[in-house]
């Protein structure tokens, strides 16, 4: 049996999850990463994506996060999300609103750097939408 560690997923609105887990898969900005017990201390930024959590009881939970950062220690991991929701609670209207806002941000960007950042966020949301919500 895999070693377990403490994991907390926090959004500005509330604590979404505080549990003893064996594995957490995070959508890091440099790529997807799996966190397990005794992980090297790391701090990473999080891009919009799905966080998959496997509890010590073997249950798997999935959460959609819209950016943030994770603080990883050998005995725990805390993900501070800009916004987060359980996949089971997500609705198509919310994703569509976020996509429309992102499209407007791309159109309204006044500099090349701002346009590129807005386009990257729109691309991430589009990929996320396809990954979690069937057409």
């Amino acid at each position: 049996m895999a070693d377990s560690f403490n994991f907390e997923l926090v959004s500005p609105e509330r604590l979404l999850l505080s549990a003893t887990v064996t594995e957490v898969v995070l959508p890091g900005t440099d790529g997807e990463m799996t966190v397990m017990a005794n992980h090297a201390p790391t701090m990473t930024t999080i891009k919009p994506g799905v966080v998959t959590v496997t509890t010590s009881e073997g249950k798997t939970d999935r959460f959609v996060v819209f950016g943030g950062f994770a603080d990883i220690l050998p005995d725990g991991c805390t993900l501070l999300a800009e916004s987060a929701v359980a996949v089971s609670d997500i609705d198509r209207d919310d994703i569509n609103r976020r996509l429309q806002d992102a499209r407007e941000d791309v159109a309204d960007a006044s500099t090349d750097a701002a346009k590129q950042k807005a386009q990257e966020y729109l691309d991430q949301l589009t990929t996320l939408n396809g990954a979690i919500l069937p057409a």
Side-chain angles (χ1 to χ4, degrees):
M1 184 168 150
D3 290 339
S4 58
F5 62 100
N6 296 318
F7 174 71
E8 289 191 339
L9 173 57
V10 183
S11 74
E13 299 85 27
R14 64 188 174 115
L15 173 67
L16 280 94
L17 180 68
S18 180
T20 302
V21 302
T22 56
E23 178 180 295
V24 178
V25 180
L26 302 173
T29 52
D30 291 330
E32 195 169 86
M33 64 186 298
T34 301
V35 178
M36 298 181 83
N38 303 312
H39 194 285
T42 306
M43 187 167 271
T44 186
T45 53
I46 301 297
K47 68 179 182 180
V50 177
V51 174
T52 304
V53 179
T54 304
T55 67
S56 57
E57 293 84 30
K59 180 182 173 204
T60 299
D61 292 316
R62 293 175 13 133
F63 299 87
V64 175
V65 295
F66 295 95
F69 70 93
D71 184 18
I72 304 164
L73 298 169
D75 61 349
C77 175
T78 301
L79 193 161
L80 301 173
E82 291 174 17
S83 178
V85 64
V87 168
S88 60
D89 294 340
I90 210 158
D91 68 25
R92 186 168 287 284
D93 290 338
D94 180 53
I95 291 291
N96 287 335
R97 181 186 52 76
R98 289 176 187 266
L99 282 164
Q100 183 59 37
D101 289 346
R103 287 184 195 103
E104 290 171 6
D105 290 346
V106 170
D108 295 342
S110 58
T111 66
D112 287 342
K115 188 173 196 89
Q116 179 180 358
K117 184 174 181 177
Q119 184 63 51
E120 287 173 1
Y121 183 68
L122 175 59
D123 293 346
Q124 292 167 349
L125 282 175
T126 302
T127 300
L128 178 62
N129 185 41
I132 63 166
L133 296 174

